[in-house]
Amino acid sequence: MSSSKGTNPKGTSTAIPSASKPTSVDSAEASAIPTEVPTEVPAEGFLMPDGKTYSNFSTKESAGYFRTLNSSTTGCYAENGSMPILLADKDLCNLGFFCPNSTDNAPPQYCPPSFDCQAKRMMGKSCPPQGLLEPVICKGGYYCPKGGKEMIECPKGSYCPEGSFEPWPCAYGAICPAKSQRQIVTMPLGFMIAFDILLGIIVGLGFFISAWRKGRKKNYAALPNPGEKDLDSDDIELLTKGSKDQQDDHDDLSANPDFQVFMRYIGRLIKTKDVGLSFDFEDLEFEPKAGKKILKGVSGYIQSGSMWAVMGGSGAGKSTFFNVLMGKTRHTGGVIKVNGHPKDMAKYKKLIGFVPQDDIVLPELTVRENILHSARCRLPMTWKDKDIQAYVDALISCIGLSHVQHSLVGDANKPVVSGGQRKRVSIGMELAAAPMCIFLDEPTSGLDATSASSIMRLLKAITRLGVTTITIIHQPREQIFHGFDNILLLGLGSEIYAGPTSEAPTYFDSLGFTFPSRANPADVIMDIINGEGGEYRQDHAMSETPVARLIESWRTRHQREAPSRTQSHSPPQPQHLLPEDAYDPPEGSYHDALAAPKRPRPVSMISTADQEAELKQTMKKRGASWYAQTYYCCKRSITQQVRLKNSFFFEIGTGAFAGGIIGLSAFTAEGQLFKGIYHDSFSIVSHAVNYTSAPQLGLLGAMAIGLAASAPAVKVFGEEKLIFNREASSGHSMSAYYVGKMVSVLPRLFIASLHFSVFMGILATPLMSWPDMFVANLLYFFCVYGLASCIGMLVKREDGPLLAVMASLIIGILGGVAPPLSKVKEWNIEFLWRMSPGVWFTESYFSQCLRPLEYLYMLDLAKAATGFNIGNYSLDMGILIALGVVYRVIAFVLLVTVQRKR
């Protein structure tokens, strides 16, 4: 280029100024860009090379002249007189830029782009430099060292995103050939494959060991010598009770050696030498709402070591009586006494067993595993595991489940064992705890006659050891009916009869009813107390309210006997359950105890302070420690997850697929998920900004994790409400159950997050490090599981997955992307968004993708435009942990307080 100077009328030289200030360029091509400028603009104007004088450069005439200039004059490649703008006072090239032609005398300059280039830049694309001295961002796959004079090919083992001033070292094992713009991290992929293989081997070994154990013969622990002190026992002595005519009922059990083992072990636990569990209830009432009494003035006494049947028609109040007596429901009137003292029955839940009418067992566990878990958690903590195993083996044999003990229980949708066997499992779970009192709601429902008789004989046997047994039963067989010591008949919420079973026919005979000689007394009694006993009356006369008359007849008799009952309380038995001269305890084995003659018992018993202290000591010993219960619950939950392997693998596959889809959506960006405004004066050469790609990756990742994890989380946490209620009512630690369940899910979270992060990282290749991405994904999985557990505690299990998915989508959308968090701040409701884990998760992605580019872009502008903070990754992760913990605390509170039926 040739130098071009003009002369004004005074003969001074005048140079063409640039839009900022003039400069001269000494280049190899000898380009002559005007360099001299007058100190002041002469009054007559500037004389330009075209021979004309212009007073300033904003006139139409000067603009027309500029349009005639070309690149050889201005240094800008665009036609029509594009004038350059200086970007620095000397040869200063920002980090990450390529400035090959600039010098101190010819600093970098900006040239207005052509129309095509402008369109590309507005779309975020790049175009060639628009002038000889215009800086250009260092191309991806290359790096431009400080000074910007070289653009060097990125070496193998490194990668160079757009705007690199030095190679970025690749992670160990990453794929980074020469000229790599991004790294493909493969080490996590290799770890994932190795982990999956190891996991498969462990699962296979687990099934092999399980099969080996199933085929192994039982090896009972040595039983303690009855004459020796057992250090692991509760120093317990059997209460002998029974009659010769009852001995035949136990012959088949007595012939079973497992029965001897079971009775010896249970004899170590049932403390009746000093005190058992007896119950007084006077004028018991339950009125859930005004005007609707379910129980009305029920009074009676249940002595320890007795077997009671509670009978009545539908709506008679049997279940309510059970719940009130066990302390599950607070009575609204009357008094309940335990061993003669008014006390809260809930305090004795470790010594009480309850078999619900519905078979509440875990279908994923085997028969033995269900019973063994109950025994481990509820037997005294001093017992060794070998004793517990032997005790459970004997119990399983006694209830007739040895042949199916290693079979899964299953459920109604996918049954494995029969309904009667499920019922026996439910009973066995309570007998495994060796309770001092056991309540059974319909224990024979679903059982055939033989199985029902076997269960009742076993209950009768442990009753003779001092266990108080109370059973709701409908129309039992005659043999079973006569096996009960006493019966309590209810009608319309009131007593109709309470007393010895053998005296019930005599009592109803006194009311004018006749029992047919060949009829089952239980059937006749049920007809009578349901108001359909007219055929059994001698005069065949029926009252309009026969049940009400039966209630009134019993109340009248009860009032007549009240003085004698009161008198019996005045001289309490201070030291023994029975008077000292009532019987001489026979010596011998448990079989002698079953055959011992039945003795008359006092009407009531009041325990002494020493006896109550011993009872408290017994309760303290019952139950495993909190840590042991947590371990057993965690182990049980892991077993469930392994058994539900299809669901587990489906969740992992879904997570991997979701991560791959999200990664694929960002694959074409080649890791460049952000473009901002360049630093300082170089901002004028900035392309269209891209503030959304990095947050969108976080948003899509959050939504994908929510879809993949929320439904399985509901199944893991929310489908055991009834199991939890049953175990909590029997003295299990509620917190141990929940913590064990929560800990058992952590490996699941880790594996699902690993697969999600591996496939997402390989395809999306964001600038954030893979460990940072994995930790963020893992903690968001943690939050989604916690939120889904809250949903599962509130709604029915069939509604839980759908609502959990919706909730996870909501917290994902509240991630601050749309609407942007900056707009939310203007609305002054940012705190609502900050309550969602989605904001913190998305912010971590945004922050970690931008921080490595801080030298290149003005991140403060991006921060103001989006509303996200930058550089607070640790805080973001801490908040995610806190939110996940808060969700679980809320879920635990809901688990304890919300009474969900299903």
Side-chain angles (χ1 to χ4, degrees), residues 254-372:
S254 301
N256 184 354
D258 290 328
F259 179 69
Q260 300 179 26
V261 175
F262 172 73
M263 295 302 287
R264 182 63 57 82
Y265 271 109
I266 205 171
R268 295 166 57 186
L269 288 169
I270 308 305
K271 176 170 272 191
T272 56
K273 175 181 179 181
D274 295 318
V275 64
L277 285 182
S278 62
F279 309 103
D280 286 278
F281 43 97
E282 299 175 2
D283 297 325
L284 209 58
E285 292 185 352
F286 179 68
E287 188 176 10
K289 59 182 180 179
K292 185 180 179 181
K293 282 189 177 183
I294 299 179
L295 291 182
K296 310 168 190 175
V298 179
S299 300
Y301 170 67
I302 298 176
Q303 64 269 35
S304 62
S306 61
M307 190 171 185
W308 280 72
V310 180
M311 300 174 63
S314 299
K318 304 184 299 298
S319 297
T320 302
F321 171 76
F322 249 46
N323 290 333
V324 169
L325 192 58
M326 285 188 295
K328 290 187 174 183
T329 303
R330 288 194 174 275
H331 53 279
T332 57
V335 177
I336 296 179
K337 297 179 180 180
V338 182
N339 293 342
H341 302 282
K343 288 190 176 180
D344 184 2
M345 277 292 296
K347 295 180 179 179
Y348 295 89
K349 59 185 178 182
K350 287 187 176 182
L351 303 179
I352 294 175
F354 173 61
V355 180
Q357 183 175 2
D358 298 326
D359 302 325
I360 303 175
V361 294
L362 288 174
E364 300 86 11
L365 301 184
T366 65
V367 169
R368 191 174 191 280
E369 286 168 346
N370 273 290
I371 297 175
L372 181 60

Side-chain angles (χ1 to χ4, degrees), residues 318-514:
K318 304 184 299 298
S319 297
T320 302
F321 171 76
F322 249 46
N323 290 333
V324 169
L325 192 58
M326 285 188 295
K328 290 187 174 183
T329 303
R330 288 194 174 275
H331 53 279
T332 57
V335 177
I336 296 179
K337 297 179 180 180
V338 182
N339 293 342
H341 302 282
K343 288 190 176 180
D344 184 2
M345 277 292 296
K347 295 180 179 179
Y348 295 89
K349 59 185 178 182
K350 287 187 176 182
L351 303 179
I352 294 175
F354 173 61
V355 180
Q357 183 175 2
D358 298 326
D359 302 325
I360 303 175
V361 294
L362 288 174
E364 300 86 11
L365 301 184
T366 65
V367 169
R368 191 174 191 280
E369 286 168 346
N370 273 290
I371 297 175
L372 181 60
H373 177 82
S374 179
R376 281 172 166 169
C377 290
R378 298 174 64 182
L379 289 174
M381 61 183 69
T382 55
W383 274 41
K384 299 178 181 179
D385 192 66
K386 64 179 182 179
D387 290 328
I388 296 175
Q389 297 275 0
Y391 172 68
V392 169
D393 285 333
L395 170 60
I396 290 174
S397 176
C398 290
I399 59 179
L401 293 176
S402 295
H403 62 294
V404 294
Q405 65 174 321
H406 297 301
S407 299
L408 297 180
V409 174
D411 53 24
N413 297 325
K414 190 177 179 181
V416 179
V417 300
S418 67
Q421 289 168 339
R422 283 171 57 87
K423 172 63 70 175
R424 280 181 274 172
V425 173
S426 184
I427 295 173
M429 289 171 64
E430 297 304 317
L431 293 180
M436 296 181 68
C437 175
I438 184 168
F439 293 80
L440 304 101
D441 191 354
E442 292 293 330
T444 59
S445 63
L447 298 180
D448 58 80
T450 303
S451 298
S453 297
S454 176
I455 289 294
M456 297 310 295
R457 285 197 298 271
L458 180 61
L459 293 175
K460 187 72 172 178
I462 65 171
T463 300
R464 297 312 174 206
L465 292 175
V467 180
T468 307
T469 307
I470 308 170
T471 303
I472 292 179
I473 196 162
H474 282 288
Q475 294 182 314
R477 293 176 59 188
E478 184 173 2
Q479 180 185 8
I480 293 176
F481 176 75
H482 285 299
F484 290 104
D485 300 324
N486 304 276
I487 58 174
L488 171 64
L489 305 179
L490 296 176
L492 302 179
S494 300
E495 282 178 285
I496 293 178
Y497 174 80
T501 305
S502 58
E503 296 179 8
T506 304
Y507 170 73
F508 285 106
D509 281 342
S510 68
L511 299 180
F513 296 95
T514 302

Side-chain angles (χ1 to χ4, degrees), residues 13 54 59 151 195 223 268 454 457 510 607 901:
S13 64
Y54 302 103
T59 62
M151 184 180 293
F195 183 85
L223 296 178
R268 295 166 57 186
S454 176
R457 285 197 298 271
S510 68
S607 59
K901 296 297 183 182

Side-chain angles (χ1 to χ4, degrees), residues 154-161 166-172 174 176 183 185:
C154 200
K156 183 179 179 180
S158 302
Y159 69 106
C160 300
E166 61 183 0
W168 298 33
C170 287
Y172 180 78
C176 293
Q183 64 170 337
V185 182

